[in-house]
Amino acid sequence: MNATKPRGNGTLSDANQSPDDGNSASKKPHHSNSLTYWIAGAIVAAIAIALTVPNVATHFEIGGELFLRALKMIVVPLVFTSVMCGILGLGDVRKLGKPGAAAVGYYLCTTVLAVIIGLVVVNVIRPGVGTVDQAQLDKFAQKDTQPHQVLRETLAESSGLSEKLIGDVFPELEVNSEKAPGVETILENLALMLVTDNLFGAAVETQLLPIIVFTIAFGALLTTMPYETRTITTLVTEANNALLAFVMALMKIAPLGIFCLVAARFGKAQAEGRFLDELGQIGWYFAAVVIGLAIHALIVLPLIFWIVRRENPYRFAASMSQALLTAFSTASSSATLPVTLECAEAAGIPKRSTEFVIPLGATINMDGTALYEAAAAIFIAQAIGFDLTFGEQAIIAVTATLAAIGAAGIPEAGLVTMLIVLGAVGLPLEYIGLILAVDWLLDRFRTTVNVFGDSIGAAVVGVTIPDEPS
């Protein structure tokens, strides 16, 4: 492209060439270590208060809900503008092929690795062998309530959504359904999730994948007509800068919001008095999942980062600490998305990579969820004495990979796709109740791994994106 002509490719350097080039919204975000310490301290303080005075801690729920809603409020517009900026920043739709293939390849490889780690760990530790009382197993086997209805109620309670909306998001949770949805359900859902008949309806329900697909297609079209779309390019770029500035302002109250979120959730578990009892029954299962997640997050993902970028992965992880702590607090990769984008850019990842890879990863890159589902299925089989052959475990691996990709980015959505994994090898669905009591806490760990995987993906895919033309 001729450098003397006005460029309409949507790169940030083009959009920001204005007399007010020093505008803070256009600068790279500043990563504050002090804020990270405040957030970490807020989590510790919240857990301490929840364990000592749980009835007081539960009253902080309104503050946590307000903070969570503030984060979710900007997710949809930020996904639209950030992905659009990422596509426009490439300048030519043909340049999307290599980073797009790299992103999909990364997602598949890391998800498969996570599933393999989960299977290995749970087969080595064998957390379900001789650890669960027969009386506990009989309790779930004799329950009249259908697992589908139990999951609808659990998801509605944890996510704050109505049961009707949960049913719309997860049509497989039919109240009168007597069997688990199969692999064909996953494939159908994945295909239907790509396109929506109502873009505004998808935005209302925070269905990010069809929004991302539309944005990629629309942005690719704009790159073919740069001169006619200069105004749209400038508008989208400046809107993205403004939204990121809003995120940075919101993070100033993050310690307070995160304190309320964590205190309320841990306080509720402590007040009910069932959490520690259930943890005593399935503590080895809990430990096996956490160990698997730790191996994936502290060894496998950092190794991939180092191989591709030849940089210190743990220094990068420290730069992402605000996003990781927020992920642990909210248990939602979608709600954490604004913070993940801000932290990744502050960590030095090319903005065109973060804007394209991270929103996509927040919807389909679920390493932690895939590992958890594989481990949970094997644990349930071990607990009820169901011997799984190598072939059946391979089926679990494949099903868990596909199910994790199709999991929604709301708290505890992995429980829904667990039905598919259990049904794939004929495991009784009612025994999913064994893991419900501790799932809300494991959900926080696996969401943190999911978010870290997204940020590593942006760093890895960033090396495939050509340098921005000067």
Side-chain angles (χ1 to χ4, degrees):
M1 184 181 292
N2 191 327
T4 61
K5 294 180 181 180
R7 288 198 301 255
N9 59 7
T11 61
L12 293 177
S13 59
D14 294 333
N16 292 335
Q17 297 302 317
S18 66
D20 190 25
D21 196 50
N23 191 306
S24 60
S26 300
K27 293 181 179 179
K28 188 169 87 168
H30 173 66
H31 185 77
S32 172
N33 287 329
S34 62
L35 180 58
T36 301
Y37 299 145
W38 276 103
I39 293 175
I43 293 175
V44 173
I47 294 175
I49 290 178
L51 295 179
T52 53
V53 282
N55 292 327
V56 174
T58 55
H59 289 90
F60 290 109
E61 184 175 8
I62 182 64
E65 183 64 23
L66 288 173
F67 176 69
L68 191 59
R69 290 191 179 197
L71 282 176
K72 290 181 177 179
M73 177 176 63
I74 60 174
V75 166
V76 170
L78 185 59
V79 164
F80 178 82
T81 59
S82 64
V83 174
M84 182 75 74
C85 284
I87 301 301
L88 294 174
L90 296 174
D92 186 337
V93 67
R94 291 171 296 183
K95 295 180 181 179
L96 181 61
K98 189 174 181 180
V104 173
Y106 168 84
Y107 296 151
L108 289 177
C109 288
T110 55
T111 303
V112 170
L113 286 172
V115 169
I116 293 173
I117 291 171
L119 291 177
V120 170
V121 170
V122 81
N123 276 289
V124 170
I125 297 178
R126 298 178 65 80
V129 178
T131 59
V132 183
D133 292 341
Q134 187 60 44
Q136 185 83 345
L137 296 174
D138 294 340
K139 180 180 70 173
F140 292 108
Q142 295 171 1
K143 276 190 174 180
D144 295 330
T145 307
Q146 294 181 347
H148 301 72
Q149 178 61 24
V150 172
L151 291 188
R152 285 169 66 104
E153 295 172 355
T154 301
L155 284 171
E157 181 181 355
S158 63
S159 65
L161 303 175
S162 66
E163 284 194 44
K164 180 181 182 304
L165 185 54
I166 292 293
D168 293 338
V169 176
F170 301 107
E172 57 266 39
L173 289 184
E174 292 291 340
V175 176
N176 296 322
S177 178
E178 297 181 354
K179 63 178 182 178
V183 176
E184 65 277 4
T185 304
I186 307 176
L187 298 177
E188 289 177 6
N189 287 348
L190 285 176
L192 294 175
M193 283 169 62
L194 294 174
V195 182
T196 178
D197 58 353
N198 187 336
L199 197 62
F200 293 101
V204 169
E205 297 175 4
T206 322
Q207 297 179 20
L208 299 184
L209 194 54
I211 296 174
I212 291 173
V213 170
F214 169 80
T215 305
I216 290 175
F218 187 61
L221 176 64
L222 294 184
T223 64
T224 65
M225 42 193 302
Y227 302 120
E228 296 89 340
T229 59
R230 291 193 301 271
T231 302
I232 295 178
T233 298
T234 302
L235 174 63
V236 170
T237 302
E238 294 304 324
N240 188 59
N241 289 336
L243 287 169
L244 288 175
F246 183 84
V247 173
M248 295 173 66
L250 185 61
M251 287 307 294
K252 292 181 179 178
I253 62 168
L256 179 60
I258 286 174
F259 171 85
C260 294
L261 273 174
V262 176
R265 191 59 188 88
F266 276 76
K268 182 178 181 181
Q270 178 73 354
E272 290 175 350
R274 294 186 296 111
F275 173 66
L276 293 180
D277 293 338
E278 296 285 350
L279 187 60
Q281 280 283 314
I282 58 175
W284 279 109
Y285 157 73
F286 185 94
V289 174
V290 172
I291 289 171
L293 293 173
I295 292 173
H296 188 69
L298 300 179
I299 299 176
V300 175
L301 292 178
L303 183 60
I304 294 173
F305 180 92
W306 181 83
I307 290 173
V308 174
R309 298 186 65 92
R310 298 291 175 176
E311 298 173 5
N312 188 331
Y314 301 106
R315 185 176 294 122
F316 174 74
S319 300
M320 295 299 303
S321 55
Q322 290 180 17
L324 301 180
L325 291 171
T326 304
F328 181 84
S329 306
T330 62
S332 172
S333 51
S334 296
T336 310
L337 178 60
V339 188
T340 310
L341 286 168
E342 186 268 329
C343 288
E345 187 186 348
I349 304 303
K351 193 167 186 179
R352 287 173 296 161
S353 178
T354 63
E355 290 169 340
F356 169 62
V357 177
I358 290 179
L360 188 61
T363 59
I364 66 175
N365 184 40
M366 301 291 178
D367 298 351
T369 302
L371 187 153
Y372 146 82
E373 291 184 350
I378 303 296
F379 164 74
I380 291 174
Q382 291 173 351
I384 65 176
F386 193 103
D387 292 328
L388 293 172
T389 65
F390 178 82
E392 288 172 326
Q393 293 204 28
I395 292 174
I396 287 177
V398 173
T399 310
T401 300
L402 293 174
I405 293 173
I410 67 172
E412 299 186 62
L415 284 175
V416 179
T417 50
M418 268 298 301
L419 291 176
I420 301 172
V421 178
L422 294 177
V425 290
L427 289 171
L429 303 184
E430 58 267 21
Y431 288 105
I432 199 172
L434 281 172
I435 62 176
L436 285 180
V438 298
D439 187 79
W440 66 271
L441 184 54
L442 282 176
D443 190 27
R444 281 159 164 72
F445 287 104
R446 63 180 183 256
T447 300
T448 304
V449 174
N450 290 341
V451 169
F452 187 48
D454 296 342
S455 61
I456 293 286
V460 168
V461 175
V463 304
T464 69
I465 298 180
D467 293 334
E468 189 174 347
S470 57

